[in-house]
Amino acid sequence: MTGSPDPLFYATRQELVQRVGGFFRNARHVVGRTCRVCRQPETETAGLCSRCLTHKSEFGARLADVALILTYVRGWSTTKRVDQSAHTMRAYKATPPAQKCAQDLAYMVAAASTIHEHCIPAVLGSRWESITFVPSAKTPGASHPVAELARTVRGVPRSGRFLLSLADNFHELPDRAVRADRFTVEDRYRDRVEGKHVLLVEDTWVTGSKAQSAAITLHDAGAAKVTILCVARWCRDDWTGHKEFLDSLDTPYDAYVCPVAAPNCPYDPGQ
Ligand SMILES: [Zn+2]
Ligand SMILES: [Zn+2]
């Protein structure tokens, strides 16, 4: 490890380990072990799990150019107890939201995008120019807690913020399918999309169908590049390979682990 971290980063790192390290684990792409898109412990062909492979064969380059996923969540445990990671993801958007959980997730997003602010454009090829989030069916506007997570991302100009809308037929579409007609970009936001590198924020990746549908909408509206930043990859003990994989991860969530795996990241303890 090279470079001299800002003391603030050090405080954030330790604080995050104390707050969420007991139950969150960094989501990584491990060649031959985890999907290079969604990070789940399954690879079928070309480093992709079967679901991401299906998305790729159906939509190709209209999907997100890259997905950055910060942490794994144990969504269902064989012990039948609710894992703290799953509790955090649910409670942050409960009514009313659990403030501690919302702050933990905001911290993770802010820390990852601040600490790695130079790695991210270096690896992705350009800086994020605009930002939106995947709208929720029940609360599609900017009052949903995921909007607050998007606001904590560093390095995107405020003038680049915009909302995606639900398509008129949204509620009639199958939940778990990637669709090009699930979301829309209103005309007034077109200039924030056309030719831009758009960051699309999501809280949870289960199948990726919502986030990838939104990415397609952005590409179809003229985005030059779409990056998904998703806080959590949902896993379950009863999904093939998940329990064994999660059990094997014993290092607490560390904000220094580079979300883009930059080869010369000055902070990543694995570099
Ligand atoms: Zn996948
Ligand atoms: Zn980095």
Side-chain angles (χ1 to χ4, degrees):
M1 190 164 129
T2 57
S4 48
D6 185 309
L8 175 69
F9 294 173
Y10 188 75
T12 306
R13 181 189 195 185
Q14 293 311 323
E15 196 174 350
L16 265 174
V17 168
Q18 283 162 14
R19 288 174 75 119
V20 303
F23 49 90
F24 279 141
R25 300 285 181 263
N26 292 83
R28 298 176 193 250
H29 170 224
V30 180
V31 177
R33 184 89 202 266
T34 61
C35 174
R36 66 183 163 83
V37 173
C38 75
R39 316 287 207 275
Q40 73 154 321
E42 183 211 326
T43 57
E44 191 169 292
T45 305
L48 297 172
C49 70
S50 50
R51 193 180 293 271
C52 291
L53 195 61
T54 303
H55 296 167
K56 183 88 182 162
S57 63
E58 207 172 335
F59 294 98
R62 293 162 77 197
L63 298 170
D65 296 82
V66 63
L68 308 178
I69 301 179
L70 299 183
T71 184
Y72 292 114
V73 159
R74 198 186 285 265
W76 184 82
S77 160
T78 48
T79 65
K80 305 262 169 72
R81 284 198 302 270
V82 176
D83 192 84
Q84 184 67 27
S85 60
H87 167 75
T88 298
M89 297 312 299
R90 289 198 182 102
Y92 113 94
K93 54 185 172 186
T95 311
Q99 289 305 320
K100 159 82 168 61
C101 298
Q103 281 168 4
D104 285 350
L105 301 185
Y107 250 134
M108 291 168 76
V109 170
S113 54
T114 305
I115 293 170
H116 304 283
E117 66 172 326
H118 300 296
C119 305
I120 291 168
V123 169
L124 303 185
S126 57
R127 293 192 173 277
W128 295 319
E129 297 166 290
S130 52
I131 181 167
T132 190
F133 54 87
V134 180
S136 114
K138 276 191 236 152
T139 319
S143 61
H144 190 276
V146 73
E148 190 56 39
L149 294 182
R151 282 191 281 269
T152 66
V153 175
R154 306 298 160 90
V156 195
R158 289 177 67 92
S159 59
R161 292 179 187 170
F162 68 98
L163 298 174
L164 276 173
S165 304
L166 304 182
D168 291 340
N169 62 340
F170 181 91
H171 295 283
E172 289 142 37
L173 298 175
D175 215 33
R176 294 279 154 94
V178 177
R179 302 272 308 206
D181 58 351
R182 198 180 279 285
F183 304 104
T184 59
V185 177
E186 289 177 34
D187 285 345
R188 60 184 165 141
Y189 295 134
R190 291 265 160 188
D191 61 343
R192 297 177 194 199
V193 178
E194 285 172 6
K196 299 289 197 292
H197 182 176
V198 181
L199 178 64
L200 173 64
V201 177
E202 174 64 305
D203 50 35
T204 311
W205 185 296
V206 183
T207 64
S209 61
K210 300 269 170 45
Q212 291 288 27
S213 296
I216 291 168
T217 296
L218 292 167
H219 268 308
D220 289 357
K225 195 176 276 194
V226 178
T227 296
I228 294 171
L229 173 62
C230 183
V231 177
R233 209 299 167 196
W234 198 259
C235 297
R236 285 178 59 109
D237 281 359
D238 55 345
W239 286 348
T240 307
H242 281 211
K243 182 179 189 312
E244 178 197 27
F245 177 71
L246 290 180
D247 286 349
S248 75
L249 304 177
D250 50 13
T251 307
Y253 180 82
D254 185 352
Y256 273 32
V257 170
C258 193
V260 290
N264 53 357
C265 177
Y267 304 115
D268 196 317
Q271 299 292 339

